[in-house]
Amino acid sequence: MNGLVALGAGIAALTGIGGGIGIGIATGKATEAISRQPEASGKIQTNLLLGAALAEGTAIFGFVVALLIILFLGQ
């Protein structure tokens, strides 16, 4: 049973990969947009920070689920 708990925690922790990829793509696109239109950098940065926070929140939720699986099911 411990093997399945470890597998479940590993799968739950994979959400960090999605968050990292999402933030990386968003940052690249925001940098490209600012270089094309520097006068709109304030709006672009605001939207970038909001999107990064949402992507990071998803990754944190997955990490918390992985910890809960380990702590409560790994006994």
Side-chain angles (χ1 to χ4, degrees):
M1 187 67 168
N2 283 339
L4 292 177
V5 170
L7 181 65
I11 291 172
L14 286 177
T15 57
I17 294 173
I21 291 172
I23 292 171
I25 291 173
T27 303
K29 295 294 183 177
T31 304
E32 184 179 324
I34 290 172
S35 68
R36 289 176 189 260
Q37 214 170 16
E39 65 273 2
S41 66
K43 286 185 175 182
I44 294 169
Q45 284 179 341
T46 302
N47 288 334
L48 170 66
L49 290 177
L50 180 62
L54 291 172
E56 193 66 31
T58 304
I60 290 171
F61 286 143
F63 179 68
V64 168
V65 168
L67 284 178
L68 290 174
I69 288 172
I70 291 170
L71 292 176
F72 292 115
L73 296 179
Q75 296 176 4

